Every structure is written in structure tokens, then in C-alpha cells.
Amino acid sequence: MNFEHNVRNAFSTHFSRDAAFVVRAPGRVNLIGEHTDYNEGFVLPCAIEYATYIAVAPRKDNIVNVLALDCNNETDQFLLTQPLEFHPEQSWSNYVRGVVSELQKLNYQLTGCDICITGNVPQGAGLSSSAALEVGIAYAFNHLCELFIDRKQIAKIAQAAENNFVGCNCGIMDQLISACGKQNQALGIDCRTLDLIEVTIAPEMTIMMVNSNVKRGLVDSEYNLRRQQCDAGAKALGKTSLRDVSIQEFEQQKCFLDPQIAKRIEHIVYENARTLNAMQAFTNNDVQQLSKLMAESHGSMRDLFEITTSQIDTLVEIINNVLGIQGGVRMTGGGFGGCVVAFMPNDMVQEVIAAIRSEYQAKTGLRESIYISLPASGVCVL
Ligand code: GLA
């Protein structure tokens, strides 16, 4: 399916004129480093080939018209000259409105435009369809209005839209990788400084994402609760963030901590160390080491951070039984459903798919969706 072609066609049909340009903004998968971003720690995501496509043409007035092809062709319209309000019935609209509102807070001068949106980032799968939309919209206005905003700032504006307008208290990872992704590379991100380290993914290896299709009910409330617990943990240890807690320090102090808070801190402190080790291991294509690190990461999310579900654990077990030390697998993203990510030699892909197909539904009653992608580049004008 050619999404650029489709979005241009739909734009022309709906607005009776041609789009001036199309922006492509990718979703993401995180290879390791979960819930570390808002603790100013380390993450290792890559952008994926599944993306949001946004066709745009300028208008001579202050109106913004938006058409969402994948949401039953719903439309939104707002004025750039009036304060933007939260749209209670149309959740997708708030990602667009939120970005516009954040750009305006920073005094960027915006012009009216017509916008058409489509794409193939699976929604609600934990592959950051919302970050792709936010980053795509920010980049579209950047291009349309010649704002010269750099990619990291685009990511921050997109994150602010999600935090302040949509109301989800997410970290910077999803927006930053959608903005800054590199072809064939994962990016190690220091979430304190936003420094990026390119980590090459060996061409003989495949990144597979398997959506558990667990209905993600508790995501927002549990996510925000984990953030509060991490903040409480940092405070208890006299730090501004858990990034500053060393393994040694944690081990010395843990007996003095509330047991549940101690579990949350233990996950973050060791996950940061694992993520730094994994950057090296991916670079060396040390698959045995990655197998171990990803297994430890999953165990830690299951037992210490407590964000997996039984179906996700089953899926990880099925894949792990095939891969052994020849690959790695773990849950990826915020948790309570969504996807697992598996890293494996290209020639094991069929065997892994066969195992998932024959066992997952039988064991859980749910049917999976499988996605494969090379690491892709970040947001761009096509
Ligand atoms: C979600 C958030 C990210 C990050 C992950 C967990 O995807 O949007 O900021 O916290 O969860 O690693």
C-alpha cells in the first residue's frame, strides 16, 4: 500500500485541490530501557517502518481543517486566533490541537492549513501511534511556516502536547525517536541530556514486534502511579531523580525503604545498567549477551515494576522457548498489554512465527498480530 499516494488522493478529493507536501512520521519500538526515560535514565529505541502520513496545503486565512482517514473520515476545524479547547468526543483531534497549542505558547507564528492524516502504525499497540501523530503535526507546521525548529525541540513540543493537552504524563522517548530515528540504527538516548548514541543493528538480525492484543485498560492510571512511585523513591534516597542512584547505593539503602518503592527503584537502577550494556552488545552483535539482558529486563518488569500481564508473559515464554540464547525477547513500551519485541537471526523468523501461531491463542484465547521492521529514519517531508 502506498500511503503517500493514498493521502494525496484523499486530500485532493476532500479539499478539491492538491496537497503541497506530505510528512511521514514513524512509530517506534523500544529494544530495552523501560520506564527509565522519565527517571532521566537511558533507553534504546528505534523508529519503525510503520508511520503516520500527513498531507498539508496552506490556506490564506486562520482556519485549520483536519481530516482523519483512519478514524472514519472524522474531521476537525479550529481557528488559530482563538484559545484551543480539549475535544472531549474526538480523542485524535487533541493530538493535533495540543501540538498547535504548544507551538503557539512558544510564540511561533502559524498559518491556516488543510490537513489529511492516515498511516499504518497500529493504534493502541504500544508502538507510539500518538507520538508519530504529534511529531508529524509539529514537523508539518515547522515546514509550512518555515519555523526552523530542530528535531529535539520538535520532540519536546510533541511531548508537551501529550503532557499538557492530552493529559498523559509520558516521558520523552517516543517523541524523540520519532523525530530523530536513523535508518538501520537504534538510538541510545540519555534522557537527561538528550544526547544520542547511534547503535547499528546487524543486517543478519530481525526485529519482530508481536502485539498481544491484550486490551490495555489500566495504562494511564498505572503509568502515572509508577511515575509517582519513582519520584517517591528518588526523594526517599535524597536524589532529584533515580538516574543518580548507583547499584551500590541502592543495595546499601534498600533495607531502609518501603518494600514496594524498593522494587520500583531496583527495576530502574538495574534497567539503566542493562541498557548501557545492551548498547555495547548490539554494537558487537553479541546475541548471547542480549538474550540475557532482554530476559532480565522482562523479569524485572514482571516481578519488580509489575507492569506485564499473564498473556504477555506467556507470549515471551513461547518466543523464548524457540530462541533460547540465539535471540532475545521482552515486553516493550508502557506495559499492561501492547507488544513484545524479539531480536533474532533472520533465519529463525519462520520458526518463531509458527510457534506463536500454534501456541499463543491456544494458551490465552487471544490472537496476536505480528510486525517486522528494519530501524527507520525519523520524521521527514517526502
Ligand atoms: C510509554 C511512554 C514513554 C516511556 C514508555 C516506557 O511509551 O510514552 O515515555 O515511559 O512508556 O518505557
Side-chain angles (χ1 to χ4, degrees):
M1 192 133 73
N2 185 332
F3 286 91
E4 182 184 357
H5 181 77
N6 287 357
V7 80
R8 278 187 187 278
N9 270 350
F11 186 101
S12 304
T13 309
H14 186 84
F15 294 111
S16 305
R17 61 189 183 123
D18 287 344
F21 62 91
V22 175
V23 166
R24 174 192 175 281
R28 67 97 185 90
V29 62
N30 189 21
L31 299 176
I32 194 163
E34 224 62 81
H35 285 256
T36 42
D37 63 349
Y38 56 80
N39 290 296
E40 301 192 351
F42 302 95
V43 293
L44 184 54
C46 64
I48 54 177
E49 293 162 302
Y50 297 84
T52 298
Y53 295 77
I54 304 174
V56 185
R59 295 176 58 90
K60 292 201 168 66
D61 53 21
N62 282 311
I63 297 172
V64 176
N65 287 310
V66 195
L67 167 67
L69 293 185
D70 307 324
C71 300
N72 302 316
N73 289 330
E74 281 175 358
T75 57
D76 190 20
Q77 182 182 65
F78 55 85
L79 276 173
L80 292 170
T81 45
Q82 276 170 15
L84 281 171
E85 277 167 21
F86 186 82
H87 198 314
E89 288 107 49
Q90 236 170 237
S91 61
W92 65 265
S93 301
N94 294 313
Y95 297 100
V96 181
R97 291 175 174 222
V99 169
V100 168
S101 157
E102 289 300 326
L103 285 166
Q104 288 185 322
K105 270 194 211 167
L106 296 169
N107 286 324
Y108 287 113
Q109 292 308 308
L110 307 184
T111 48
C113 54
D114 294 332
I115 297 176
C116 177
I117 305 169
T118 187
N120 63 345
V121 187
Q123 289 176 29
L127 298 176
S128 292
S129 58
S130 50
L133 177 54
E134 292 153 356
V135 166
I137 292 291
Y139 201 76
F141 277 98
N142 183 49
H143 186 72
L144 179 75
C145 310
E146 299 184 347
L147 304 175
F148 303 104
I149 310 176
D150 73 37
R151 285 172 185 269
K152 287 182 186 172
Q153 184 65 14
I154 293 269
K156 285 189 198 170
I157 290 166
Q159 182 201 14
E162 179 121 9
N163 292 168
N164 303 333
F165 204 91
V166 179
C168 170
N169 217 2
C170 67
I172 188 71
M173 167 171 72
D174 306 345
Q175 291 80 8
L176 197 67
I177 191 67
S178 182
C180 300
K182 290 259 154 54
Q183 210 175 357
N184 300 324
Q185 315 260 325
L187 287 185
I189 304 173
D190 178 337
C191 296
R192 170 169 280 168
T193 61
L194 300 192
D195 286 343
L196 307 175
I197 300 161
E198 292 183 9
V199 173
T200 300
I201 301 299
E204 65 269 30
M205 302 298 289
T206 295
I207 296 169
M208 181 188 286
M209 293 141 283
V210 188
N211 187 355
S212 63
N213 286 315
V214 172
K215 223 170 157 4
R216 299 167 82 220
L218 295 166
V219 193
D220 284 355
S221 57
E222 288 291 332
Y223 186 90
N224 289 340
L225 179 60
R226 292 302 179 284
R227 280 199 76 146
Q228 287 163 18
Q229 292 168 333
C230 288
D231 289 346
K235 205 166 161 215
L237 292 171
K239 307 280 185 183
T240 46
S241 107
L242 290 181
R243 155 68 173 268
D244 296 320
V245 180
S246 68
I247 288 178
Q248 198 193 12
E249 217 169 342
F250 167 72
E251 292 298 342
Q252 279 166 2
Q253 298 293 323
K254 73 175 173 194
C255 55
F256 305 113
L257 295 162
D258 169 273
Q260 194 188 44
I261 298 290
K263 285 207 269 182
R264 306 300 189 240
I265 302 175
E266 183 171 352
H267 168 74
I268 299 298
V269 168
Y270 282 89
E271 185 78 350
N272 274 330
R274 280 190 288 270
T275 304
L276 290 170
N277 285 337
M279 288 183 204
Q280 200 55 55
F282 275 106
T283 303
N284 301 340
N285 201 26
D286 183 347
V287 180
Q288 206 167 323
Q289 174 73 352
L290 287 170
S291 180
K292 181 168 164 276
L293 292 169
M294 290 173 84
E296 285 172 4
S297 172
H298 186 78
S300 179
M301 290 189 283
R302 183 189 57 218
D303 303 332
L304 299 174
F305 219 63
E306 298 178 286
I307 54 172
T308 71
T309 71
S310 63
Q311 300 95 327
I312 290 268
D313 294 338
T314 302
L315 190 50
V316 163
E317 208 178 286
I318 293 168
I319 299 173
N320 193 39
N321 284 344
V322 181
L323 289 177
I325 57 166
Q326 298 179 77
V329 57
R330 56 184 284 283
M331 188 188 75
T332 183
F336 305 99
C339 281
V340 310
V341 59
F343 185 68
M344 68 194 74
N346 300 339
D347 59 15
M348 289 189 81
V349 167
Q350 289 316 321
E351 202 185 331
V352 169
I353 291 177
I356 300 169
R357 293 259 185 263
S358 78
E359 293 174 47
Y360 181 64
Q361 190 172 15
K363 287 184 174 162
T364 64
L366 294 171
R367 189 152 168 81
E368 74 288 341
S369 320
I370 299 178
Y371 307 94
I372 286 175
S373 175
L374 291 169
S377 50
V379 66
C380 64
V381 172
L382 293 172

